[in-house]
PDB file of all heavy atoms in Angstrom:
ATOM      1  N   GLY A   1     -25.962-120.107 153.412  1.00  0.00           N
ATOM      2  CA  GLY A   1     -27.256-120.627 153.845  1.00  0.00           C
ATOM      3  C   GLY A   1     -27.491-120.414 155.329  1.00  0.00           C
ATOM      4  O   GLY A   1     -28.598-120.057 155.755  1.00  0.00           O
ATOM      5  N   LEU A   2     -26.449-120.606 156.116  1.00  0.00           N
ATOM      6  CA  LEU A   2     -26.572-120.396 157.569  1.00  0.00           C
ATOM      7  C   LEU A   2     -26.849-118.930 157.888  1.00  0.00           C
ATOM      8  O   LEU A   2     -27.644-118.618 158.783  1.00  0.00           O
ATOM      9  CB  LEU A   2     -25.292-120.853 158.270  1.00  0.00           C
ATOM     10  CG  LEU A   2     -25.078-122.373 158.330  1.00  0.00           C
ATOM     11  CD1 LEU A   2     -23.669-122.689 158.817  1.00  0.00           C
ATOM     12  CD2 LEU A   2     -26.111-123.023 159.246  1.00  0.00           C
ATOM     13  N   PHE A   3     -26.186-118.027 157.146  1.00  0.00           N
ATOM     14  CA  PHE A   3     -26.433-116.604 157.370  1.00  0.00           C
ATOM     15  C   PHE A   3     -27.867-116.248 156.995  1.00  0.00           C
ATOM     16  O   PHE A   3     -28.551-115.489 157.705  1.00  0.00           O
ATOM     17  CB  PHE A   3     -25.451-115.759 156.567  1.00  0.00           C
ATOM     18  CG  PHE A   3     -25.424-114.306 156.982  1.00  0.00           C
ATOM     19  CD1 PHE A   3     -24.671-113.897 158.069  1.00  0.00           C
ATOM     20  CD2 PHE A   3     -26.150-113.349 156.282  1.00  0.00           C
ATOM     21  CE1 PHE A   3     -24.640-112.564 158.469  1.00  0.00           C
ATOM     22  CE2 PHE A   3     -26.123-112.012 156.664  1.00  0.00           C
ATOM     23  CZ  PHE A   3     -25.364-111.613 157.763  1.00  0.00           C
ATOM     24  N   LEU A   4     -28.353-116.801 155.877  1.00  0.00           N
ATOM     25  CA  LEU A   4     -29.723-116.538 155.444  1.00  0.00           C
ATOM     26  C   LEU A   4     -30.743-117.166 156.395  1.00  0.00           C
ATOM     27  O   LEU A   4     -31.858-116.650 156.533  1.00  0.00           O
ATOM     28  CB  LEU A   4     -29.931-117.048 154.010  1.00  0.00           C
ATOM     29  CG  LEU A   4     -29.302-116.197 152.906  1.00  0.00           C
ATOM     30  CD1 LEU A   4     -29.382-116.916 151.564  1.00  0.00           C
ATOM     31  CD2 LEU A   4     -29.993-114.837 152.814  1.00  0.00           C
ATOM     32  N   ASP A   5     -30.382-118.271 157.020  1.00  0.00           N
ATOM     33  CA  ASP A   5     -31.280-118.866 158.015  1.00  0.00           C
ATOM     34  C   ASP A   5     -31.476-117.904 159.186  1.00  0.00           C
ATOM     35  O   ASP A   5     -32.575-117.799 159.746  1.00  0.00           O
ATOM     36  CB  ASP A   5     -30.706-120.192 158.524  1.00  0.00           C
ATOM     37  CG  ASP A   5     -30.812-121.306 157.487  1.00  0.00           C
ATOM     38  OD1 ASP A   5     -31.588-121.148 156.524  1.00  0.00           O
ATOM     39  OD2 ASP A   5     -30.109-122.318 157.641  1.00  0.00           O
ATOM     40  N   ARG A   6     -30.398-117.217 159.555  1.00  0.00           N
ATOM     41  CA  ARG A   6     -30.467-116.263 160.671  1.00  0.00           C
ATOM     42  C   ARG A   6     -31.099-114.950 160.236  1.00  0.00           C
ATOM     43  O   ARG A   6     -31.857-114.331 160.988  1.00  0.00           O
ATOM     44  CB  ARG A   6     -29.065-115.998 161.213  1.00  0.00           C
ATOM     45  CG  ARG A   6     -28.371-117.193 161.836  1.00  0.00           C
ATOM     46  CD  ARG A   6     -27.004-116.783 162.377  1.00  0.00           C
ATOM     47  NE  ARG A   6     -27.129-115.786 163.445  1.00  0.00           N
ATOM     48  CZ  ARG A   6     -26.109-115.039 163.883  1.00  0.00           C
ATOM     49  NH1 ARG A   6     -24.912-115.182 163.333  1.00  0.00           N
ATOM     50  NH2 ARG A   6     -26.297-114.177 164.853  1.00  0.00           N
ATOM     51  N   PHE A   7     -30.772-114.531 159.000  1.00  0.00           N
ATOM     52  CA  PHE A   7     -31.245-113.237 158.497  1.00  0.00           C
ATOM     53  C   PHE A   7     -31.808-113.437 157.084  1.00  0.00           C
ATOM     54  O   PHE A   7     -31.110-113.206 156.086  1.00  0.00           O
ATOM     55  CB  PHE A   7     -30.093-112.226 158.489  1.00  0.00           C
ATOM     56  CG  PHE A   7     -29.335-112.155 159.794  1.00  0.00           C
ATOM     57  CD1 PHE A   7     -28.057-112.686 159.903  1.00  0.00           C
ATOM     58  CD2 PHE A   7     -29.916-111.584 160.914  1.00  0.00           C
ATOM     59  CE1 PHE A   7     -27.361-112.638 161.095  1.00  0.00           C
ATOM     60  CE2 PHE A   7     -29.223-111.528 162.121  1.00  0.00           C
ATOM     61  CZ  PHE A   7     -27.948-112.061 162.217  1.00  0.00           C
ATOM     62  N   PRO A   8     -33.053-113.866 156.993  1.00  0.00           N
ATOM     63  CA  PRO A   8     -33.648-114.253 155.698  1.00  0.00           C
ATOM     64  C   PRO A   8     -33.694-113.146 154.652  1.00  0.00           C
ATOM     65  O   PRO A   8     -33.790-113.437 153.457  1.00  0.00           O
ATOM     66  CB  PRO A   8     -35.069-114.688 156.090  1.00  0.00           C
ATOM     67  CG  PRO A   8     -34.987-115.032 157.536  1.00  0.00           C
ATOM     68  CD  PRO A   8     -33.981-114.095 158.110  1.00  0.00           C
ATOM     69  N   ASP A   9     -33.637-111.883 155.084  1.00  0.00           N
ATOM     70  CA  ASP A   9     -33.747-110.788 154.115  1.00  0.00           C
ATOM     71  C   ASP A   9     -32.389-110.193 153.746  1.00  0.00           C
ATOM     72  O   ASP A   9     -32.309-109.100 153.169  1.00  0.00           O
ATOM     73  CB  ASP A   9     -34.659-109.689 154.653  1.00  0.00           C
ATOM     74  CG  ASP A   9     -34.121-109.053 155.942  1.00  0.00           C
ATOM     75  OD1 ASP A   9     -33.196-109.638 156.539  1.00  0.00           O
ATOM     76  OD2 ASP A   9     -34.638-107.993 156.336  1.00  0.00           O
ATOM     77  N   ALA A  10     -31.305-110.889 154.052  1.00  0.00           N
ATOM     78  CA  ALA A  10     -29.959-110.368 153.764  1.00  0.00           C
ATOM     79  C   ALA A  10     -29.725-110.226 152.261  1.00  0.00           C
ATOM     80  O   ALA A  10     -30.249-110.997 151.450  1.00  0.00           O
ATOM     81  CB  ALA A  10     -28.902-111.282 154.372  1.00  0.00           C
ATOM     82  N   ASP A  11     -28.928-109.220 151.906  1.00  0.00           N
ATOM     83  CA  ASP A  11     -28.558-108.975 150.509  1.00  0.00           C
ATOM     84  C   ASP A  11     -27.145-109.479 150.242  1.00  0.00           C
ATOM     85  O   ASP A  11     -26.348-109.654 151.167  1.00  0.00           O
ATOM     86  CB  ASP A  11     -28.609-107.479 150.193  1.00  0.00           C
ATOM     87  CG  ASP A  11     -30.023-106.923 150.234  1.00  0.00           C
ATOM     88  OD1 ASP A  11     -30.976-107.712 150.126  1.00  0.00           O
ATOM     89  OD2 ASP A  11     -30.162-105.695 150.385  1.00  0.00           O
ATOM     90  N   LEU A  12     -26.836-109.659 148.965  1.00  0.00           N
ATOM     91  CA  LEU A  12     -25.498-110.076 148.547  1.00  0.00           C
ATOM     92  C   LEU A  12     -24.765-108.903 147.909  1.00  0.00           C
ATOM     93  O   LEU A  12     -25.339-108.155 147.109  1.00  0.00           O
ATOM     94  CB  LEU A  12     -25.583-111.222 147.537  1.00  0.00           C
ATOM     95  CG  LEU A  12     -24.255-111.666 146.890  1.00  0.00           C
ATOM     96  CD1 LEU A  12     -23.357-112.334 147.927  1.00  0.00           C
ATOM     97  CD2 LEU A  12     -24.500-112.608 145.715  1.00  0.00           C
ATOM     98  N   VAL A  13     -23.483-108.740 148.254  1.00  0.00           N
ATOM     99  CA  VAL A  13     -22.604-107.752 147.636  1.00  0.00           C
ATOM    100  C   VAL A  13     -21.438-108.499 147.005  1.00  0.00           C
ATOM    101  O   VAL A  13     -20.812-109.342 147.656  1.00  0.00           O
ATOM    102  CB  VAL A  13     -22.062-106.745 148.682  1.00  0.00           C
ATOM    103  CG1 VAL A  13     -21.107-105.762 148.025  1.00  0.00           C
ATOM    104  CG2 VAL A  13     -23.210-106.007 149.361  1.00  0.00           C
ATOM    105  N   HIS A  14     -21.141-108.206 145.728  1.00  0.00           N
ATOM    106  CA  HIS A  14     -19.986-108.855 145.094  1.00  0.00           C
ATOM    107  C   HIS A  14     -19.460-107.980 143.967  1.00  0.00           C
ATOM    108  O   HIS A  14     -20.104-107.024 143.533  1.00  0.00           O
ATOM    109  CB  HIS A  14     -20.350-110.253 144.573  1.00  0.00           C
ATOM    110  CG  HIS A  14     -21.246-110.254 143.374  1.00  0.00           C
ATOM    111  ND1 HIS A  14     -20.771-110.372 142.098  1.00  0.00           N
ATOM    112  CD2 HIS A  14     -22.590-110.150 143.257  1.00  0.00           C
ATOM    113  CE1 HIS A  14     -21.771-110.346 141.238  1.00  0.00           C
ATOM    114  NE2 HIS A  14     -22.899-110.207 141.921  1.00  0.00           N
ATOM    115  N   GLY A  15     -18.252-108.307 143.494  1.00  0.00           N
ATOM    116  CA  GLY A  15     -17.568-107.483 142.502  1.00  0.00           C
ATOM    117  C   GLY A  15     -17.757-107.900 141.064  1.00  0.00           C
ATOM    118  O   GLY A  15     -17.148-107.315 140.166  1.00  0.00           O
ATOM    119  N   ASP A  16     -18.560-108.927 140.818  1.00  0.00           N
ATOM    120  CA  ASP A  16     -18.911-109.358 139.467  1.00  0.00           C
ATOM    121  C   ASP A  16     -17.734-109.877 138.648  1.00  0.00           C
ATOM    122  O   ASP A  16     -17.765-109.874 137.427  1.00  0.00           O
ATOM    123  CB  ASP A  16     -19.596-108.210 138.707  1.00  0.00           C
ATOM    124  CG  ASP A  16     -20.359-108.707 137.481  1.00  0.00           C
ATOM    125  OD1 ASP A  16     -20.937-109.809 137.563  1.00  0.00           O
ATOM    126  OD2 ASP A  16     -20.370-108.006 136.453  1.00  0.00           O
ATOM    127  N   ALA A  17     -16.675-110.325 139.317  1.00  0.00           N
ATOM    128  CA  ALA A  17     -15.543-110.899 138.587  1.00  0.00           C
ATOM    129  C   ALA A  17     -15.812-112.378 138.309  1.00  0.00           C
ATOM    130  O   ALA A  17     -16.560-113.038 139.032  1.00  0.00           O
ATOM    131  CB  ALA A  17     -14.259-110.756 139.394  1.00  0.00           C
ATOM    132  N   GLN A  18     -15.199-112.900 137.247  1.00  0.00           N
ATOM    133  CA  GLN A  18     -15.275-114.327 136.979  1.00  0.00           C
ATOM    134  C   GLN A  18     -14.652-115.075 138.142  1.00  0.00           C
ATOM    135  O   GLN A  18     -13.645-114.649 138.697  1.00  0.00           O
ATOM    136  CB  GLN A  18     -14.522-114.660 135.685  1.00  0.00           C
ATOM    137  CG  GLN A  18     -15.134-114.071 134.428  1.00  0.00           C
ATOM    138  CD  GLN A  18     -16.368-114.831 133.969  1.00  0.00           C
ATOM    139  OE1 GLN A  18     -16.694-115.890 134.499  1.00  0.00           O
ATOM    140  NE2 GLN A  18     -17.079-114.295 132.993  1.00  0.00           N
ATOM    141  N   GLY A  19     -15.235-116.184 138.523  1.00  0.00           N
ATOM    142  CA  GLY A  19     -14.707-116.958 139.635  1.00  0.00           C
ATOM    143  C   GLY A  19     -15.656-116.943 140.810  1.00  0.00           C
ATOM    144  O   GLY A  19     -16.871-117.074 140.655  1.00  0.00           O
ATOM    145  N   ILE A  20     -15.112-116.761 142.015  1.00  0.00           N
ATOM    146  CA  ILE A  20     -15.908-116.853 143.237  1.00  0.00           C
ATOM    147  C   ILE A  20     -17.044-115.834 143.265  1.00  0.00           C
ATOM    148  O   ILE A  20     -18.135-116.127 143.756  1.00  0.00           O
ATOM    149  CB  ILE A  20     -15.007-116.683 144.479  1.00  0.00           C
ATOM    150  CG1 ILE A  20     -14.025-117.852 144.587  1.00  0.00           C
ATOM    151  CG2 ILE A  20     -15.844-116.569 145.743  1.00  0.00           C
ATOM    152  CD1 ILE A  20     -14.690-119.213 144.746  1.00  0.00           C
ATOM    153  N   ASP A  21     -16.805-114.615 142.735  1.00  0.00           N
ATOM    154  CA  ASP A  21     -17.860-113.594 142.742  1.00  0.00           C
ATOM    155  C   ASP A  21     -19.125-114.126 142.067  1.00  0.00           C
ATOM    156  O   ASP A  21     -20.222-114.073 142.635  1.00  0.00           O
ATOM    157  CB  ASP A  21     -17.389-112.330 142.015  1.00  0.00           C
ATOM    158  CG  ASP A  21     -16.370-111.535 142.808  1.00  0.00           C
ATOM    159  OD1 ASP A  21     -15.892-112.045 143.848  1.00  0.00           O
ATOM    160  OD2 ASP A  21     -16.035-110.418 142.396  1.00  0.00           O
ATOM    161  N   ARG A  22     -18.972-114.607 140.857  1.00  0.00           N
ATOM    162  CA  ARG A  22     -20.148-115.054 140.101  1.00  0.00           C
ATOM    163  C   ARG A  22     -20.651-116.415 140.579  1.00  0.00           C
ATOM    164  O   ARG A  22     -21.842-116.703 140.493  1.00  0.00           O
ATOM    165  CB  ARG A  22     -19.834-115.072 138.609  1.00  0.00           C
ATOM    166  CG  ARG A  22     -19.570-113.666 138.081  1.00  0.00           C
ATOM    167  CD  ARG A  22     -19.485-113.600 136.590  1.00  0.00           C
ATOM    168  NE  ARG A  22     -19.205-112.236 136.149  1.00  0.00           N
ATOM    169  CZ  ARG A  22     -19.024-111.891 134.870  1.00  0.00           C
ATOM    170  NH1 ARG A  22     -19.103-112.806 133.917  1.00  0.00           N
ATOM    171  NH2 ARG A  22     -18.753-110.636 134.564  1.00  0.00           N
ATOM    172  N   ILE A  23     -19.737-117.220 141.096  1.00  0.00           N
ATOM    173  CA  ILE A  23     -20.178-118.488 141.695  1.00  0.00           C
ATOM    174  C   ILE A  23     -21.056-118.197 142.905  1.00  0.00           C
ATOM    175  O   ILE A  23     -22.112-118.821 143.085  1.00  0.00           O
ATOM    176  CB  ILE A  23     -18.949-119.334 142.115  1.00  0.00           C
ATOM    177  CG1 ILE A  23     -18.237-119.882 140.876  1.00  0.00           C
ATOM    178  CG2 ILE A  23     -19.370-120.478 143.045  1.00  0.00           C
ATOM    179  CD1 ILE A  23     -16.908-120.543 141.167  1.00  0.00           C
ATOM    180  N   SER A  24     -20.656-117.223 143.714  1.00  0.00           N
ATOM    181  CA  SER A  24     -21.449-116.877 144.900  1.00  0.00           C
ATOM    182  C   SER A  24     -22.809-116.316 144.508  1.00  0.00           C
ATOM    183  O   SER A  24     -23.812-116.547 145.202  1.00  0.00           O
ATOM    184  CB  SER A  24     -20.692-115.869 145.768  1.00  0.00           C
ATOM    185  OG  SER A  24     -20.632-114.598 145.152  1.00  0.00           O
ATOM    186  N   LEU A  25     -22.860-115.582 143.400  1.00  0.00           N
ATOM    187  CA  LEU A  25     -24.144-115.060 142.916  1.00  0.00           C
ATOM    188  C   LEU A  25     -25.086-116.207 142.564  1.00  0.00           C
ATOM    189  O   LEU A  25     -26.262-116.189 142.951  1.00  0.00           O
ATOM    190  CB  LEU A  25     -23.912-114.169 141.696  1.00  0.00           C
ATOM    191  CG  LEU A  25     -25.175-113.678 140.985  1.00  0.00           C
ATOM    192  CD1 LEU A  25     -26.032-112.830 141.919  1.00  0.00           C
ATOM    193  CD2 LEU A  25     -24.802-112.885 139.718  1.00  0.00           C
ATOM    194  N   GLY A  26     -24.560-117.194 141.847  1.00  0.00           N
ATOM    195  CA  GLY A  26     -25.388-118.347 141.498  1.00  0.00           C
ATOM    196  C   GLY A  26     -25.867-119.097 142.725  1.00  0.00           C
ATOM    197  O   GLY A  26     -27.029-119.519 142.800  1.00  0.00           O
ATOM    198  N   ILE A  27     -24.985-119.248 143.701  1.00  0.00           N
ATOM    199  CA  ILE A  27     -25.337-119.935 144.942  1.00  0.00           C
ATOM    200  C   ILE A  27     -26.396-119.148 145.712  1.00  0.00           C
ATOM    201  O   ILE A  27     -27.363-119.720 146.236  1.00  0.00           O
ATOM    202  CB  ILE A  27     -24.089-120.152 145.814  1.00  0.00           C
ATOM    203  CG1 ILE A  27     -23.163-121.176 145.162  1.00  0.00           C
ATOM    204  CG2 ILE A  27     -24.475-120.594 147.226  1.00  0.00           C
ATOM    205  CD1 ILE A  27     -21.819-121.336 145.868  1.00  0.00           C
ATOM    206  N   PHE A  28     -26.244-117.832 145.752  1.00  0.00           N
ATOM    207  CA  PHE A  28     -27.197-116.978 146.469  1.00  0.00           C
ATOM    208  C   PHE A  28     -28.589-117.100 145.846  1.00  0.00           C
ATOM    209  O   PHE A  28     -29.594-117.257 146.558  1.00  0.00           O
ATOM    210  CB  PHE A  28     -26.717-115.532 146.417  1.00  0.00           C
ATOM    211  CG  PHE A  28     -27.560-114.561 147.200  1.00  0.00           C
ATOM    212  CD1 PHE A  28     -27.535-114.563 148.584  1.00  0.00           C
ATOM    213  CD2 PHE A  28     -28.371-113.645 146.546  1.00  0.00           C
ATOM    214  CE1 PHE A  28     -28.298-113.659 149.313  1.00  0.00           C
ATOM    215  CE2 PHE A  28     -29.134-112.734 147.260  1.00  0.00           C
ATOM    216  CZ  PHE A  28     -29.100-112.747 148.648  1.00  0.00           C
ATOM    217  N   LYS A  29     -28.658-117.044 144.531  1.00  0.00           N
ATOM    218  CA  LYS A  29     -29.943-117.178 143.842  1.00  0.00           C
ATOM    219  C   LYS A  29     -30.559-118.546 144.109  1.00  0.00           C
ATOM    220  O   LYS A  29     -31.775-118.673 144.310  1.00  0.00           O
ATOM    221  CB  LYS A  29     -29.759-116.969 142.339  1.00  0.00           C
ATOM    222  CG  LYS A  29     -29.444-115.527 141.955  1.00  0.00           C
ATOM    223  CD  LYS A  29     -29.287-115.395 140.453  1.00  0.00           C
ATOM    224  CE  LYS A  29     -29.056-113.937 140.043  1.00  0.00           C
ATOM    225  NZ  LYS A  29     -28.884-113.808 138.575  1.00  0.00           N
ATOM    226  N   GLU A  30     -29.709-119.570 144.103  1.00  0.00           N
ATOM    227  CA  GLU A  30     -30.176-120.934 144.371  1.00  0.00           C
ATOM    228  C   GLU A  30     -30.745-121.047 145.780  1.00  0.00           C
ATOM    229  O   GLU A  30     -31.810-121.652 145.996  1.00  0.00           O
ATOM    230  CB  GLU A  30     -29.013-121.905 144.182  1.00  0.00           C
ATOM    231  CG  GLU A  30     -29.382-123.377 144.350  1.00  0.00           C
ATOM    232  CD  GLU A  30     -28.182-124.286 144.144  1.00  0.00           C
ATOM    233  OE1 GLU A  30     -27.218-123.871 143.454  1.00  0.00           O
ATOM    234  OE2 GLU A  30     -28.198-125.411 144.688  1.00  0.00           O
ATOM    235  N   LEU A  31     -30.057-120.458 146.743  1.00  0.00           N
ATOM    236  CA  LEU A  31     -30.524-120.506 148.132  1.00  0.00           C
ATOM    237  C   LEU A  31     -31.857-119.779 148.298  1.00  0.00           C
ATOM    238  O   LEU A  31     -32.746-120.254 149.020  1.00  0.00           O
ATOM    239  CB  LEU A  31     -29.470-119.888 149.050  1.00  0.00           C
ATOM    240  CG  LEU A  31     -28.212-120.721 149.294  1.00  0.00           C
ATOM    241  CD1 LEU A  31     -27.114-119.875 149.931  1.00  0.00           C
ATOM    242  CD2 LEU A  31     -28.527-121.933 150.177  1.00  0.00           C
ATOM    243  N   LEU A  32     -31.990-118.632 147.646  1.00  0.00           N
ATOM    244  CA  LEU A  32     -33.250-117.897 147.740  1.00  0.00           C
ATOM    245  C   LEU A  32     -34.393-118.682 147.089  1.00  0.00           C
ATOM    246  O   LEU A  32     -35.508-118.724 147.619  1.00  0.00           O
ATOM    247  CB  LEU A  32     -33.116-116.522 147.077  1.00  0.00           C
ATOM    248  CG  LEU A  32     -32.196-115.515 147.766  1.00  0.00           C
ATOM    249  CD1 LEU A  32     -32.238-114.171 147.036  1.00  0.00           C
ATOM    250  CD2 LEU A  32     -32.592-115.313 149.225  1.00  0.00           C
ATOM    251  N   GLN A  33     -34.104-119.312 145.959  1.00  0.00           N
ATOM    252  CA  GLN A  33     -35.124-120.122 145.286  1.00  0.00           C
ATOM    253  C   GLN A  33     -35.564-121.281 146.175  1.00  0.00           C
ATOM    254  O   GLN A  33     -36.753-121.590 146.263  1.00  0.00           O
ATOM    255  CB  GLN A  33     -34.583-120.643 143.956  1.00  0.00           C
ATOM    256  CG  GLN A  33     -35.624-121.384 143.119  1.00  0.00           C
ATOM    257  CD  GLN A  33     -35.069-121.803 141.764  1.00  0.00           C
ATOM    258  OE1 GLN A  33     -33.863-121.888 141.577  1.00  0.00           O
ATOM    259  NE2 GLN A  33     -35.944-122.049 140.822  1.00  0.00           N
ATOM    260  N   GLU A  34     -34.601-121.914 146.832  1.00  0.00           N
ATOM    261  CA  GLU A  34     -34.932-123.023 147.731  1.00  0.00           C
ATOM    262  C   GLU A  34     -35.812-122.561 148.884  1.00  0.00           C
ATOM    263  O   GLU A  34     -36.584-123.342 149.443  1.00  0.00           O
ATOM    264  CB  GLU A  34     -33.642-123.640 148.286  1.00  0.00           C
ATOM    265  CG  GLU A  34     -32.816-124.389 147.249  1.00  0.00           C
ATOM    266  CD  GLU A  34     -31.484-124.852 147.796  1.00  0.00           C
ATOM    267  OE1 GLU A  34     -31.169-124.544 148.981  1.00  0.00           O
ATOM    268  OE2 GLU A  34     -30.729-125.513 147.058  1.00  0.00           O
ATOM    269  N   ARG A  35     -35.686-121.271 149.237  1.00  0.00           N
ATOM    270  CA  ARG A  35     -36.473-120.712 150.343  1.00  0.00           C
ATOM    271  C   ARG A  35     -37.748-120.027 149.864  1.00  0.00           C
ATOM    272  O   ARG A  35     -38.445-119.391 150.647  1.00  0.00           O
ATOM    273  CB  ARG A  35     -35.602-119.721 151.137  1.00  0.00           C
ATOM    274  CG  ARG A  35     -34.518-120.414 151.965  1.00  0.00           C
ATOM    275  CD  ARG A  35     -33.397-119.451 152.337  1.00  0.00           C
ATOM    276  NE  ARG A  35     -32.470-120.039 153.316  1.00  0.00           N
ATOM    277  CZ  ARG A  35     -31.578-120.967 153.023  1.00  0.00           C
ATOM    278  NH1 ARG A  35     -31.468-121.419 151.782  1.00  0.00           N
ATOM    279  NH2 ARG A  35     -30.782-121.458 153.973  1.00  0.00           N
ATOM    280  N   GLY A  36     -38.017-120.132 148.567  1.00  0.00           N
ATOM    281  CA  GLY A  36     -39.219-119.524 148.015  1.00  0.00           C
ATOM    282  C   GLY A  36     -39.151-118.006 147.955  1.00  0.00           C
ATOM    283  O   GLY A  36     -40.182-117.331 147.958  1.00  0.00           O
ATOM    284  N   GLN A  37     -37.922-117.466 147.875  1.00  0.00           N
ATOM    285  CA  GLN A  37     -37.749-116.024 147.840  1.00  0.00           C
ATOM    286  C   GLN A  37     -37.255-115.565 146.474  1.00  0.00           C
ATOM    287  O   GLN A  37     -36.588-116.302 145.754  1.00  0.00           O
ATOM    288  CB  GLN A  37     -36.736-115.574 148.907  1.00  0.00           C
ATOM    289  CG  GLN A  37     -37.161-115.847 150.336  1.00  0.00           C
ATOM    290  CD  GLN A  37     -36.087-115.423 151.320  1.00  0.00           C
ATOM    291  OE1 GLN A  37     -34.916-115.782 151.194  1.00  0.00           O
ATOM    292  NE2 GLN A  37     -36.475-114.652 152.321  1.00  0.00           N
ATOM    293  N   SER A  38     -37.559-114.323 146.136  1.00  0.00           N
ATOM    294  CA  SER A  38     -37.078-113.725 144.899  1.00  0.00           C
ATOM    295  C   SER A  38     -35.745-113.050 145.151  1.00  0.00           C
ATOM    296  O   SER A  38     -35.490-112.536 146.238  1.00  0.00           O
ATOM    297  CB  SER A  38     -38.088-112.692 144.387  1.00  0.00           C
ATOM    298  OG  SER A  38     -37.531-111.928 143.323  1.00  0.00           O
ATOM    299  N   ASN A  39     -34.871-113.023 144.120  1.00  0.00           N
ATOM    300  CA  ASN A  39     -33.591-112.333 144.252  1.00  0.00           C
ATOM    301  C   ASN A  39     -33.669-110.888 143.756  1.00  0.00           C
ATOM    302  O   ASN A  39     -32.669-110.166 143.766  1.00  0.00           O
ATOM    303  CB  ASN A  39     -32.476-113.089 143.520  1.00  0.00           C
ATOM    304  CG  ASN A  39     -32.751-113.197 142.021  1.00  0.00           C
ATOM    305  OD1 ASN A  39     -32.757-112.194 141.319  1.00  0.00           O
ATOM    306  ND2 ASN A  39     -32.949-114.411 141.528  1.00  0.00           N
ATOM    307  N   GLU A  40     -34.850-110.457 143.342  1.00  0.00           N
ATOM    308  CA  GLU A  40     -35.018-109.095 142.838  1.00  0.00           C
ATOM    309  C   GLU A  40     -34.698-108.073 143.937  1.00  0.00           C
ATOM    310  O   GLU A  40     -35.256-108.125 145.032  1.00  0.00           O
ATOM    311  CB  GLU A  40     -36.441-108.882 142.330  1.00  0.00           C
ATOM    312  CG  GLU A  40     -36.651-107.532 141.676  1.00  0.00           C
ATOM    313  CD  GLU A  40     -38.037-107.374 141.072  1.00  0.00           C
ATOM    314  OE1 GLU A  40     -38.804-108.368 141.089  1.00  0.00           O
ATOM    315  OE2 GLU A  40     -38.353-106.277 140.599  1.00  0.00           O
TER     316      GLU A  40
END
């Protein structure tokens, strides 16, 4: 969230593994939704 506050258009890179990778994806989508942004 702090990184997105500084750089609102930042993208996420992850390896799609079960665990932190997919947890971070869910968190990233949640943060964008809270900011009124699309994850597309």
